[in-house]
């Protein structure tokens, strides 16, 4: 079974999706690319990934577009 997007939103130039995997873990997609930290896809509970989404949005809000 492929991951399922359970939450999506757009914020500025970015599209975010929180996806659930078959094993019950969640991960974040930004513009259809998995969000990675230290070279690994960031996975966690829904709460973990939702908190990371807010953190990423704040960081990206301060970054000018190319």
């Amino acid at each position: 079974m492929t991951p399922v997007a359970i939450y999506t939103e757009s914020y500025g130039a970015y599209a975010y999706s929180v996806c659930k995997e078959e094993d019950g873990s969640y991960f974040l997609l930004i513009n259809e690319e998995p969000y990675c930290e230290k070279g690994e896809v960031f996975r966690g509970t829904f709460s973990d990934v939702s908190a990371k989404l807010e953190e990423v949005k704040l960081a990206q809000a301060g970054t000018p577009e190319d």
Side-chain angles (χ1 to χ4, degrees):
M1 183 174 158
T2 59
V4 176
I6 59 165
Y7 176 80
T8 60
E9 75 174 82
S10 294
Y11 186 77
Y14 300 97
Y16 302 98
S17 296
V18 175
C19 298
K20 184 176 184 180
E21 297 204 82
E22 195 172 300
D23 67 2
S25 66
Y26 295 84
F27 66 97
L28 177 61
L29 292 178
I30 302 172
N31 292 341
E32 300 184 22
E33 294 291 327
Y35 173 76
C36 296
E37 287 187 346
K38 300 177 186 171
E40 297 289 325
V41 175
F42 180 85
R43 287 179 165 73
T45 65
F46 183 78
S47 295
D48 294 336
V49 175
S50 295
K52 183 59 68 177
L53 168 59
E54 293 305 315
E55 182 181 315
V56 168
K57 282 183 359 187
L58 286 173
Q60 290 177 332
T63 304
E65 280 298 303
D66 296 337

